[in-house]
Amino acid sequence: MTRVFSGIQPSGDLHLGNHLGALVNWVAMQERAECVYCVVDLHAMTSPAEHDPATLRQRTLSAATTLLAVGVDPQRSILFVQSHVHEHAECTWLLNCIAGFGELRKMPQFKDKSAGKGESVSVGLFDYPVLQSADILLYHADEVPVGEDQRHHIELARDLGQRFNHRFAPDDPVFTLPRAIHPPAAARVMDLQEPSNKMSKSTSSDKGVVYLLDDPTRIAKKIRAAVTDSATDIRYDREAKPGVSNLLEILAAATGRSIDELVVEHDGHGYGSFKAAVAEAVVELLRPVQQRHAALAADPGEVSRTLADGAARAREVAAPTLLRAKQAMGMLDAGIVREGHGW
Ligand code: TYM
């Protein structure tokens, strides 16, 4: 059966970009694959200025609660917190020793996030994609449902997996080589106020970001205020009409209809009624998520139990993979050491 792995950072409230770019696929893939989903708290502390321990703890539980509300089903899939499975950190070290400085320095996300920070940038931020590779490779993932912004990170995981297999396990590959899966529309949802920037958890203003738990009035207000352009025609053109194109993608993804069909329906009727249609579709898409979230948030103990169970199941997959990787790299078998000491 196909194996799937994906992760999300608890670095802020989950938003429509996360949902349409990744989570819709997370949920759908449960129908046809063995899925492992992870709240990647270790990734969320790579920007020291934004790392507050109490906030991180609260956001980790909150992200897990939102994932369950979106439809991650812990009966069918594994849902866990990255730091609960120490194999991730250990496998990162192994992969660090085959990853190159040059390939990490070139990662677009590292370049963006380190810009202007000079020497103060954390080693964790630099190493971030290697930890992400370890996440994916430990679970033999064939497919990784993510938004477009993660494409280079998944390619790195593939490159490192291949390099490792070639060098240390040519006859019996340890790692499966993954590929990214993007949705047909909304693989890169843009900020509603600045449609040339990606919608992001760590944005300075939340006016351009629709959070999954925003109430319907707020959602409608943000979409009504979305930046468009001074013309009135509705057509898909990312360069000339980034705001309108973004709304078309959102509407297509939220309704499952094609962009062409939506253009025919809305062109000539002005931006007002078009934005109203987008708002209505998003409100309806998120309504069941918000209802389930209210029920789940009332019982955080149950969410924590689900995560503990998920971590135990995740380790059953991750630990043997790590052991094989260590053996392939020449680490002495721990059993031999124990015998030697008479334990
Ligand atoms: P993160 O937490 O930034 O985002 C989680 C998922 O949401 C997608 N996404 C978007 N998709 C479309 N439009 C947007 N504006 C948008 N913003 C975010 C992301 O592509 C992602 O799929 N490095 C990862 C987390 C991670 C991971 C992994 C992912 C760690 N280990 C292993 C896959 C596999 C990240 O920061 O995602």
Coordinates of all heavy atoms in Angstrom, one line a residue, residues 56-136:
L56 N 4.8 27.7 22.4 CA 5.0 26.5 21.6 C 4.2 25.3 22.1 O 3.5 24.6 21.3 CB 6.5 26.1 21.5 CG 6.9 24.9 20.7 CD1 6.5 25.1 19.2 CD2 8.4 24.6 20.8
R57 N 4.2 25.1 23.4 CA 3.4 24.0 24.0 C 1.9 24.2 23.6 O 1.3 23.2 23.2 CB 3.5 24.0 25.5 CG 4.0 22.8 26.1 CD 4.1 22.8 27.6 NE 4.6 24.0 28.3 CZ 5.9 24.2 28.5 NH1 6.8 23.3 28.2 NH2 6.2 25.3 29.1
Q58 N 1.4 25.4 23.8 CA 0.0 25.6 23.5 C -0.4 25.4 22.1 O -1.3 24.8 21.7 CB -0.4 27.0 24.1 CG -1.8 27.5 23.8 CD -1.9 28.4 22.6 OE1 -1.0 29.2 22.4 NE2 -2.9 28.2 21.8
R59 N 0.5 25.9 21.2 CA 0.3 25.8 19.7 C 0.4 24.4 19.2 O -0.3 24.0 18.3 CB 1.3 26.7 19.0 CG 0.9 28.2 19.1 CD 1.9 29.0 18.3 NE 1.5 30.4 18.2 CZ 2.4 31.3 17.8 NH1 3.6 31.0 17.4 NH2 1.9 32.6 17.6
T60 N 1.2 23.6 19.9 CA 1.4 22.2 19.4 C 0.1 21.4 19.7 O -0.4 20.8 18.8 CB 2.6 21.5 20.2 OG1 3.7 22.3 19.9 CG2 2.8 20.1 19.8
L61 N -0.5 21.6 20.9 CA -1.8 21.0 21.2 C -2.9 21.5 20.3 O -3.7 20.8 19.7 CB -2.1 21.2 22.6 CG -3.3 20.4 23.1 CD1 -3.1 18.9 23.0 CD2 -3.7 20.7 24.6
S62 N -2.8 22.8 20.1 CA -3.9 23.5 19.3 C -3.8 23.0 17.8 O -4.8 22.8 17.1 CB -3.7 25.0 19.4 OG -4.2 25.7 18.3
A63 N -2.6 22.9 17.3 CA -2.4 22.4 15.9 C -3.0 21.0 15.7 O -3.7 20.6 14.8 CB -1.0 22.5 15.4
A64 N -2.7 20.1 16.7 CA -3.1 18.8 16.7 C -4.7 18.7 16.8 O -5.3 18.0 16.0 CB -2.6 18.0 17.9
T65 N -5.3 19.6 17.6 CA -6.7 19.6 17.7 C -7.3 20.1 16.4 O -8.3 19.5 15.9 CB -7.1 20.7 18.8 OG1 -6.4 20.3 20.0 CG2 -8.6 20.6 19.1
T66 N -6.7 21.0 15.7 CA -7.2 21.5 14.4 C -7.1 20.4 13.4 O -8.0 20.2 12.5 CB -6.5 22.8 14.0 OG1 -6.6 23.7 15.1 CG2 -7.1 23.4 12.8
L67 N -6.0 19.7 13.4 CA -5.9 18.6 12.4 C -6.9 17.5 12.6 O -7.5 17.0 11.6 CB -4.5 17.9 12.5 CG -3.3 18.8 12.2 CD1 -2.0 18.1 12.4 CD2 -3.4 19.2 10.7
L68 N -7.3 17.2 13.8 CA -8.4 16.3 14.0 C -9.7 16.8 13.6 O -10.5 16.1 12.9 CB -8.4 15.9 15.5 CG -7.2 15.1 16.1 CD1 -7.3 15.1 17.6 CD2 -7.2 13.7 15.5
A69 N -9.9 18.1 13.8 CA -11.1 18.8 13.4 C -11.2 18.8 11.8 O -12.3 18.7 11.3 CB -11.2 20.2 13.9
V70 N -10.1 19.0 11.2 CA -10.1 19.0 9.7 C -10.5 17.6 9.1 O -11.0 17.5 8.0 CB -8.7 19.5 9.2 CG1 -8.5 19.1 7.8 CG2 -8.6 21.0 9.4
G71 N -10.2 16.6 9.9 CA -10.6 15.2 9.4 C -9.5 14.2 9.4 O -9.6 13.1 8.9
V72 N -8.3 14.5 10.0 CA -7.3 13.4 10.2 C -7.9 12.5 11.2 O -8.4 12.8 12.3 CB -6.0 14.0 10.8 CG1 -5.1 12.9 11.2 CG2 -5.3 14.9 9.7
D73 N -8.0 11.2 10.8 CA -8.7 10.2 11.6 C -7.7 9.3 12.3 O -7.0 8.4 11.6 CB -9.6 9.4 10.6 CG -10.3 8.2 11.3 OD1 -10.1 8.0 12.5 OD2 -11.0 7.5 10.6
P74 N -7.5 9.4 13.6 CA -6.5 8.6 14.3 C -6.8 7.1 14.3 O -5.9 6.4 14.7 CB -6.5 9.2 15.7 CG -7.8 9.9 15.9 CD -8.3 10.3 14.5
Q75 N -8.0 6.7 13.9 CA -8.2 5.3 13.8 C -7.5 4.7 12.6 O -7.0 3.6 12.6 CB -9.7 5.0 13.7 CG -10.6 5.5 14.7 CD -10.3 5.0 16.1 OE1 -9.9 3.8 16.2 NE2 -10.4 5.8 17.1
R76 N -7.5 5.5 11.6 CA -6.9 5.0 10.3 C -5.5 5.5 10.1 O -4.7 4.8 9.5 CB -7.7 5.6 9.1 CG -9.0 4.9 8.9 CD -9.6 5.3 7.5 NE -10.1 6.6 7.6 CZ -10.8 7.2 6.6 NH1 -11.0 6.5 5.5 NH2 -11.2 8.4 6.7
S77 N -5.1 6.7 10.6 CA -3.8 7.2 10.4 C -3.1 7.4 11.7 O -3.7 7.3 12.7 CB -4.0 8.6 9.7 OG -4.8 8.5 8.6
I78 N -1.8 7.7 11.6 CA -1.0 8.0 12.8 C -0.8 9.5 12.9 O -0.4 10.2 11.9 CB 0.4 7.3 12.7 CG1 0.2 5.8 12.6 CG2 1.3 7.7 13.8 CD1 1.5 5.0 12.4
L79 N -1.2 10.1 14.0 CA -1.0 11.5 14.2 C -0.2 11.7 15.5 O -0.5 11.1 16.6 CB -2.4 12.2 14.4 CG -2.3 13.7 14.8 CD1 -1.7 14.5 13.6 CD2 -3.7 14.3 15.2
F80 N 0.9 12.4 15.4 CA 1.8 12.5 16.6 C 2.6 13.8 16.5 O 2.6 14.5 15.6 CB 2.8 11.3 16.6 CG 3.8 11.3 15.6 CD1 5.2 11.5 15.9 CD2 3.6 11.0 14.3 CE1 6.2 11.6 15.0 CE2 4.6 11.1 13.3 CZ 5.9 11.3 13.7
V81 N 3.3 14.0 17.6 CA 4.2 15.2 17.8 C 5.6 14.8 17.5 O 6.1 13.8 18.1 CB 4.0 15.8 19.2 CG1 5.0 17.0 19.4 CG2 2.5 16.3 19.4
Q82 N 6.3 15.5 16.7 CA 7.7 15.1 16.2 C 8.6 14.9 17.4 O 9.3 13.9 17.4 CB 8.2 16.3 15.4 CG 9.5 16.1 14.7 CD 9.9 17.4 14.0 OE1 9.7 18.5 14.5 NE2 10.5 17.3 12.8
S83 N 8.6 15.7 18.4 CA 9.6 15.6 19.5 C 9.3 14.4 20.4 O 10.1 14.0 21.2 CB 9.7 16.8 20.4 OG 8.4 17.0 21.0
H84 N 8.1 13.8 20.2 CA 7.8 12.5 21.0 C 8.5 11.3 20.4 O 8.5 10.3 21.1 CB 6.3 12.3 21.0 CG 5.5 13.3 21.8 ND1 4.1 13.4 21.9 CD2 6.0 14.4 22.6 CE1 3.8 14.4 22.7 NE2 4.9 15.0 23.1
V85 N 9.0 11.4 19.2 CA 9.7 10.3 18.6 C 11.1 10.7 18.3 O 11.4 11.4 17.3 CB 8.9 9.9 17.3 CG1 9.6 8.7 16.6 CG2 7.5 9.6 17.6
H86 N 12.0 10.4 19.3 CA 13.4 10.9 19.2 C 14.2 10.5 18.0 O 15.2 11.0 17.7 CB 14.1 10.6 20.5 CG 14.4 9.2 20.8 ND1 15.3 8.5 20.0 CD2 13.8 8.3 21.6 CE1 15.2 7.2 20.4 NE2 14.3 7.1 21.4
E87 N 13.6 9.4 17.3 CA 14.3 8.9 16.1 C 14.5 10.0 15.1 O 15.4 10.0 14.3 CB 13.5 7.8 15.5 CG 13.8 6.4 16.2 CD 13.0 6.3 17.6 OE1 12.2 7.2 17.9 OE2 13.1 5.2 18.2
H88 N 13.6 11.0 15.1 CA 13.7 12.1 14.1 C 15.0 12.9 14.3 O 15.7 13.2 13.3 CB 12.5 13.1 14.2 CG 11.2 12.4 13.7 ND1 10.5 12.9 12.7 CD2 10.5 11.4 14.2 CE1 9.4 12.1 12.5 NE2 9.4 11.2 13.5
A89 N 15.3 13.2 15.5 CA 16.5 14.0 15.8 C 17.7 13.2 15.5 O 18.7 13.7 14.9 CB 16.5 14.5 17.2
E90 N 17.7 11.9 15.8 CA 18.8 11.0 15.7 C 19.1 10.8 14.2 O 20.3 10.8 13.7 CB 18.6 9.7 16.4 CG 19.9 9.0 16.6 CD 19.7 7.7 17.5 OE1 18.7 7.6 18.1 OE2 20.6 6.9 17.5
C91 N 18.0 10.6 13.4 CA 18.2 10.3 12.0 C 18.7 11.6 11.3 O 19.5 11.5 10.3 CB 16.9 9.9 11.4 SG 17.0 9.4 9.7
T92 N 18.4 12.7 11.8 CA 18.9 14.0 11.3 C 20.4 14.0 11.3 O 21.1 14.5 10.4 CB 18.3 15.2 12.0 OG1 16.9 15.2 12.0 CG2 18.8 16.5 11.5
W93 N 21.0 13.5 12.4 CA 22.4 13.6 12.5 C 23.1 12.7 11.4 O 24.0 13.1 10.8 CB 22.9 13.1 13.9 CG 24.4 13.2 13.9 CD1 25.3 12.2 13.8 CD2 25.2 14.4 14.0 NE1 26.6 12.7 13.8 CE2 26.5 14.1 13.9 CE3 24.8 15.8 14.1 CZ2 27.5 15.0 13.9 CZ3 25.8 16.7 14.1 CH2 27.2 16.3 14.0
L94 N 22.5 11.5 11.2 CA 23.0 10.6 10.2 C 23.0 11.4 8.8 O 24.0 11.3 8.1 CB 22.2 9.3 10.1 CG 22.1 8.5 11.4 CD1 21.4 7.2 11.0 CD2 23.4 8.3 12.1
L95 N 21.8 12.0 8.5 CA 21.7 12.6 7.2 C 22.6 13.9 7.2 O 23.0 14.3 6.1 CB 20.2 13.0 7.0 CG 19.3 11.8 6.9 CD1 17.8 12.2 6.7 CD2 19.7 10.8 5.7
N96 N 22.8 14.6 8.3 CA 23.7 15.7 8.3 C 25.0 15.4 7.7 O 25.7 16.2 7.1 CB 23.9 16.2 9.7 CG 22.9 17.2 10.2 OD1 22.2 17.8 9.4 ND2 22.7 17.3 11.5
C97 N 25.4 14.1 8.0 CA 26.8 13.8 7.6 C 26.9 13.4 6.1 O 28.0 13.2 5.6 CB 27.3 12.6 8.4 SG 27.4 13.1 10.1
I98 N 25.7 13.4 5.4 CA 25.8 13.2 3.9 C 25.3 14.4 3.2 O 25.3 14.5 1.9 CB 25.1 11.9 3.4 CG1 23.6 11.9 3.7 CG2 25.8 10.7 4.0 CD1 22.9 10.8 3.0
A99 N 24.6 15.4 3.9 CA 24.1 16.6 3.2 C 25.2 17.6 3.0 O 26.1 17.7 3.9 CB 23.0 17.2 4.1
G100 N 25.1 18.4 2.0 CA 26.2 19.3 1.7 C 25.8 20.7 2.1 O 24.6 21.1 2.0
F101 N 26.8 21.5 2.6 CA 26.6 22.9 3.0 C 26.0 23.7 1.8 O 25.0 24.4 2.0 CB 28.0 23.5 3.3 CG 27.9 24.9 3.8 CD1 27.6 25.1 5.2 CD2 28.2 25.9 3.0 CE1 27.5 26.4 5.6 CE2 28.1 27.2 3.4 CZ 27.8 27.5 4.8
G102 N 26.5 23.4 0.6 CA 26.1 24.2 -0.6 C 24.6 23.9 -0.9 O 23.9 24.9 -1.2
E103 N 24.2 22.7 -0.8 CA 22.7 22.4 -1.2 C 21.8 23.0 -0.1 O 20.7 23.4 -0.4 CB 22.5 20.9 -1.4 CG 22.7 20.0 -0.3 CD 22.7 18.5 -0.7 OE1 22.2 18.1 -1.7 OE2 23.2 17.7 0.1
L104 N 22.2 23.0 1.1 CA 21.3 23.6 2.2 C 21.3 25.1 2.0 O 20.3 25.8 2.2 CB 21.8 23.2 3.6 CG 21.7 21.7 3.9 CD1 22.0 21.5 5.4 CD2 20.4 21.2 3.6
R105 N 22.4 25.7 1.7 CA 22.5 27.2 1.6 C 21.6 27.7 0.5 O 21.1 28.8 0.5 CB 24.0 27.6 1.4 CG 24.2 29.1 1.6 CD 25.6 29.4 1.4 NE 26.2 28.8 0.2 CZ 27.5 28.9 -0.1 NH1 28.3 29.7 0.6 NH2 28.0 28.3 -1.2
K106 N 21.4 26.8 -0.5 CA 20.6 27.3 -1.7 C 19.1 27.1 -1.4 O 18.3 27.5 -2.3 CB 21.0 26.4 -2.9 CG 22.2 26.9 -3.5 CD 22.4 26.3 -4.9 CE 22.8 24.9 -4.8 NZ 23.6 24.1 -5.5
M107 N 18.7 26.5 -0.4 CA 17.2 26.2 -0.2 C 16.5 27.6 -0.1 O 16.8 28.4 0.7 CB 17.0 25.5 1.2 CG 17.4 24.1 1.2 SD 16.2 23.1 0.2 CE 17.3 22.1 -0.7
P108 N 15.5 27.7 -1.0 CA 14.8 29.0 -1.0 C 14.2 29.5 0.3 O 14.3 30.7 0.7 CB 13.6 28.8 -2.0 CG 14.1 27.6 -2.8 CD 15.0 26.8 -2.0
Q109 N 13.7 28.6 1.1 CA 13.1 29.0 2.4 C 14.2 29.5 3.3 O 14.0 30.4 4.1 CB 12.3 27.8 3.0 CG 11.2 28.3 3.9 CD 10.1 27.3 3.9 OE1 9.6 26.8 2.9 NE2 9.6 26.9 5.1
F110 N 15.3 28.8 3.3 CA 16.4 29.3 4.2 C 16.9 30.7 3.7 O 17.1 31.6 4.5 CB 17.6 28.3 4.1 CG 18.8 28.8 4.8 CD1 18.8 28.9 6.2 CD2 19.9 29.3 4.2 CE1 19.9 29.4 6.9 CE2 21.0 29.8 4.8 CZ 21.0 29.8 6.2
K111 N 17.0 30.9 2.4 CA 17.4 32.2 1.9 C 16.4 33.3 2.3 O 16.9 34.3 2.8 CB 17.5 32.1 0.4 CG 18.7 31.4 -0.1 CD 19.3 31.9 -1.4 CE 18.6 31.3 -2.6 NZ 19.1 31.4 -3.9
D112 N 15.1 33.0 2.2 CA 14.1 34.0 2.6 C 14.2 34.3 4.1 O 14.3 35.4 4.5 CB 12.7 33.4 2.4 CG 12.2 33.5 1.0 OD1 12.9 34.0 0.2 OD2 11.1 33.0 0.8
K113 N 14.2 33.2 4.9 CA 14.1 33.4 6.4 C 15.4 33.9 7.0 O 15.4 34.5 8.1 CB 13.7 32.1 7.0 CG 12.3 31.7 6.7 CD 11.7 30.8 7.8 CE 10.2 30.6 7.6 NZ 9.7 29.7 8.5
S114 N 16.5 33.7 6.3 CA 17.8 34.2 6.9 C 18.2 35.6 6.4 O 19.1 36.2 6.9 CB 18.9 33.2 6.6 OG 19.1 33.1 5.2
A115 N 17.4 36.0 5.4 CA 17.8 37.3 4.7 C 17.8 38.4 5.8 O 16.9 38.6 6.6 CB 16.8 37.7 3.7
G116 N 18.9 39.2 5.8 CA 19.1 40.3 6.7 C 19.5 39.9 8.1 O 19.7 40.8 9.0
K117 N 19.6 38.6 8.4 CA 19.9 38.2 9.8 C 21.4 38.0 10.0 O 21.9 37.9 11.1 CB 19.2 36.9 10.2 CG 17.7 37.1 10.2 CD 17.0 36.1 11.2 CE 15.5 36.3 11.3 NZ 14.7 35.2 10.9
G118 N 22.2 38.0 8.9 CA 23.6 37.9 9.1 C 24.0 36.6 9.8 O 23.4 35.6 9.7
E119 N 25.0 36.8 10.7 CA 25.6 35.7 11.4 C 24.7 35.1 12.5 O 25.0 34.1 13.1 CB 26.9 36.1 12.0 CG 28.0 36.5 10.9 CD 28.6 35.2 10.3 OE1 29.3 34.5 10.9 OE2 28.4 35.1 9.1
S120 N 23.6 35.9 12.8 CA 22.8 35.5 14.0 C 21.8 34.4 13.7 O 21.1 33.9 14.5 CB 22.1 36.7 14.6 OG 21.0 37.0 13.7
V121 N 21.8 34.0 12.4 CA 20.8 33.0 12.0 C 21.1 31.7 12.7 O 22.3 31.3 12.8 CB 20.8 32.9 10.4 CG1 22.0 32.3 9.9 CG2 19.6 32.2 10.0
S122 N 20.1 30.9 13.1 CA 20.4 29.7 13.9 C 20.9 28.5 13.0 O 20.5 28.4 11.9 CB 19.2 29.3 14.7 OG 18.3 28.6 13.9
V123 N 21.7 27.7 13.6 CA 22.1 26.5 12.9 C 20.9 25.6 12.6 O 20.8 24.9 11.6 CB 23.2 25.7 13.7 CG1 23.5 24.4 13.1 CG2 24.4 26.6 13.9
G124 N 19.9 25.7 13.5 CA 18.7 24.9 13.4 C 17.9 25.3 12.1 O 17.4 24.5 11.4
L125 N 17.9 26.6 11.8 CA 17.2 27.1 10.6 C 17.9 26.5 9.3 O 17.3 26.1 8.4 CB 17.2 28.6 10.5 CG 16.3 29.2 9.4 CD1 14.8 28.9 9.6 CD2 16.5 30.7 9.3
F126 N 19.3 26.5 9.4 CA 20.1 26.0 8.3 C 19.8 24.5 8.1 O 19.6 24.1 7.0 CB 21.5 26.3 8.6 CG 22.5 25.9 7.5 CD1 22.5 26.6 6.3 CD2 23.4 24.8 7.7 CE1 23.3 26.2 5.2 CE2 24.2 24.5 6.6 CZ 24.2 25.2 5.4
D127 N 19.7 23.8 9.2 CA 19.6 22.4 9.1 C 18.1 21.9 9.0 O 17.9 20.7 8.8 CB 20.1 21.8 10.5 CG 20.6 20.4 10.3 OD1 21.0 20.0 9.2 OD2 20.5 19.7 11.3
Y128 N 17.2 22.8 9.0 CA 15.8 22.6 9.0 C 15.4 21.5 7.9 O 14.7 20.5 8.2 CB 15.1 23.9 8.8 CG 13.6 23.9 8.6 CD1 12.8 24.6 9.6 CD2 12.9 23.4 7.6 CE1 11.4 24.6 9.5 CE2 11.6 23.4 7.4 CZ 10.8 24.1 8.4 OH 9.5 24.1 8.3
P129 N 15.9 21.7 6.7 CA 15.4 20.7 5.6 C 16.0 19.3 5.8 O 15.4 18.4 5.3 CB 16.0 21.3 4.3 CG 16.5 22.7 4.6 CD 16.7 22.8 6.1
V130 N 17.1 19.2 6.6 CA 17.6 17.8 6.8 C 16.7 17.1 7.8 O 16.4 15.9 7.7 CB 19.1 17.9 7.3 CG1 19.6 16.5 7.6 CG2 19.9 18.6 6.3
L131 N 16.2 17.9 8.9 CA 15.3 17.3 9.8 C 14.0 16.9 9.1 O 13.4 15.8 9.3 CB 14.9 18.3 10.9 CG 13.9 18.0 11.9 CD1 14.2 16.7 12.7 CD2 13.7 19.1 12.9
Q132 N 13.6 17.7 8.1 CA 12.4 17.4 7.3 C 12.6 16.1 6.5 O 11.7 15.3 6.3 CB 12.0 18.6 6.4 CG 10.8 18.3 5.6 CD 10.2 19.6 5.0 OE1 10.5 20.7 5.4 NE2 9.2 19.5 4.1
S133 N 13.8 16.0 6.0 CA 14.1 14.8 5.2 C 14.1 13.5 6.1 O 13.5 12.5 5.7 CB 15.6 14.9 4.6 OG 15.7 15.9 3.7
A134 N 14.6 13.7 7.3 CA 14.5 12.6 8.3 C 13.1 12.2 8.6 O 12.7 11.0 8.6 CB 15.2 12.9 9.6
D135 N 12.2 13.2 8.8 CA 10.8 13.0 9.0 C 10.2 12.0 8.0 O 9.6 11.0 8.3 CB 10.0 14.3 8.9 CG 10.3 15.3 9.9 OD1 10.9 15.0 11.0 OD2 10.0 16.5 9.7
I136 N 10.5 12.4 6.7 CA 9.9 11.7 5.6 C 10.5 10.3 5.4 O 9.8 9.3 5.3 CB 10.1 12.5 4.3 CG1 9.4 13.9 4.4 CG2 9.6 11.8 3.1 CD1 9.7 14.9 3.4

